[in-house]
Amino acid sequence: MGIGNFRFANDVVWSSCSSYFCFFNGGEQRKYFGNEGNSGSSKMGTSRRNSFNTRKWTNILLAINVLIYVAQLATQGKLLLWGAKINSLIDKGQIWRLATYSLLHANIGHLMVNCYSLNSIGPTVENLSGPRRFLAVYLTSAISSAATSYWFCKAPAVGASGAIFGLVGSVAVFVMRHRYMIRDAKEDLQHIAQVIFLNMVIGLMSRGIDNWGHLGGLLGGAAVSWLIGPAWKYESMASDGRRIFSDQPPLFYLTDRKQKPQ
């Protein structure tokens, strides 16, 4: 099996995201900014308790991956063969493989690496974007990963790493979109770029790693995040001097609330 292998350093994730982790709330359509001391610089007034502060869907996805792997063992590989991305069978009409391949893993090591990676980056995206947009990014990335792998890689493949790359792409879009609001945004983007580059190099140097799937997931996650991801823009000044920001993504069908003035 051509498998995806994604190693996301936990310390890199949190050092990259620490400056903005609790500041943006995909479920709150407005945020209030205040002035910081005498510097006059803008600063988010949103507390950590006002963010989603949840990892519900990250935990659910982790449980699904583990349970399906147990089912793979129980069926002695039959489930793996039924759902893996195998181009010749997709050509015969088994389109479901483009959706199921990201739920399967080649071995316990493959499962553990992807679960560690999802556990590292998943809660960050879920907190920044909210549960609906988090799921939209993850599922879109999984399918775009499978489709890209199908088009450019003939080897059979399984694994959630393409979807996880999509979450990384989502964080990258978030930082780029809010680079004028986030302190040290340039350094954050450099950290993310280094992680992506390192994993692509590992994929090129290692046999059995589907880099096309990784790239497809990364681009899919970035694209859907650009369309529906958080896009905070300055709206007005509150009576107490705090700045009011509204979430205005290009497409807002999956946001948690309708964008109406409060």
Side-chain angles (χ1 to χ4, degrees), residues 171-213:
V171 175
V173 168
F174 181 90
V175 180
M176 290 183 65
R177 178 172 278 168
H178 303 94
R179 59 189 180 278
Y180 300 114
M181 302 180 187
I182 299 173
R183 186 178 303 167
D184 301 326
K186 182 178 180 180
E187 288 75 10
D188 293 341
L189 288 172
Q190 288 175 346
H191 283 307
I192 295 170
Q194 288 170 2
V195 171
I196 293 172
F197 176 78
L198 174 63
N199 284 278
M200 286 298 182
V201 171
I202 292 174
L204 291 173
M205 296 177 61
S206 304
R207 296 184 60 185
I209 294 181
D210 183 6
N211 253 1
W212 285 112

Side-chain angles (χ1 to χ4, degrees), residues 16-262:
S16 299
C17 300
S18 60
S19 61
Y20 54 84
F21 172 72
C22 66
F23 295 144
F24 290 86
N25 180 349
E28 296 285 342
Q29 295 305 322
R30 296 170 184 269
K31 289 291 167 280
Y32 296 86
F33 287 61
N35 291 330
E36 183 181 4
N38 296 325
S39 65
S41 60
S42 296
K43 175 183 174 183
M44 285 280 190
T46 307
S47 67
R48 194 176 285 266
R49 67 176 177 274
N50 288 331
S51 69
F52 281 98
N53 196 24
T54 180
R55 47 173 296 137
K56 172 184 175 181
W57 285 104
T58 300
N59 290 339
I60 291 175
L61 290 173
L62 288 169
I64 289 173
N65 283 325
V66 172
L67 290 174
I68 289 181
Y69 185 73
V70 172
Q72 287 179 223
L73 297 179
T75 59
Q76 298 180 342
K78 292 181 180 179
L79 182 61
L80 182 65
L81 293 177
W82 175 83
K85 189 224 75 172
I86 302 176
N87 288 11
S88 61
L89 297 180
I90 294 175
D91 292 337
K92 293 180 180 180
Q94 298 184 14
I95 305 297
W96 70 80
R97 294 176 180 273
L98 296 177
T100 57
Y101 113 112
S102 64
L103 299 172
L104 305 168
H105 291 86
N107 52 56
I108 187 63
H110 186 204
L111 173 68
M112 292 178 65
V113 168
N114 280 343
C115 285
Y116 172 80
S117 303
L118 177 57
N119 186 65
S120 297
I121 189 67
T124 300
V125 180
E126 192 169 353
N127 273 269
L128 293 175
S129 301
R132 295 181 185 178
R133 289 187 279 192
F134 167 74
L135 286 176
V137 170
Y138 188 89
L139 296 176
T140 301
S141 301
I143 294 176
S144 64
S145 170
T148 306
S149 177
Y150 168 72
W151 287 326
F152 297 105
C153 179
K154 295 181 180 180
V158 292
S161 53
I164 297 168
F165 259 95
L167 297 181
V168 178
S170 178
V171 175
V173 168
F174 181 90
V175 180
M176 290 183 65
R177 178 172 278 168
H178 303 94
R179 59 189 180 278
Y180 300 114
M181 302 180 187
I182 299 173
R183 186 178 303 167
D184 301 326
K186 182 178 180 180
E187 288 75 10
D188 293 341
L189 288 172
Q190 288 175 346
H191 283 307
I192 295 170
Q194 288 170 2
V195 171
I196 293 172
F197 176 78
L198 174 63
N199 284 278
M200 286 298 182
V201 171
I202 292 174
L204 291 173
M205 296 177 61
S206 304
R207 296 184 60 185
I209 294 181
D210 183 6
N211 253 1
W212 285 112
H214 292 173
L215 181 61
L218 177 68
L219 296 178
V224 73
S225 294
W226 184 84
L227 288 172
I228 67 172
W232 296 101
K233 296 181 180 179
Y234 175 75
E235 186 174 283
S236 62
M237 185 75 72
S239 58
D240 59 1
R242 290 184 294 172
R243 299 180 182 182
I244 301 175
F245 285 73
S246 61
D247 185 6
Q248 301 176 13
L251 293 177
F252 51 86
Y253 303 110
L254 295 177
T255 52
D256 290 290
R257 297 179 184 175
K258 293 182 180 179
Q259 298 183 20
K260 293 182 179 180
Q262 292 182 346

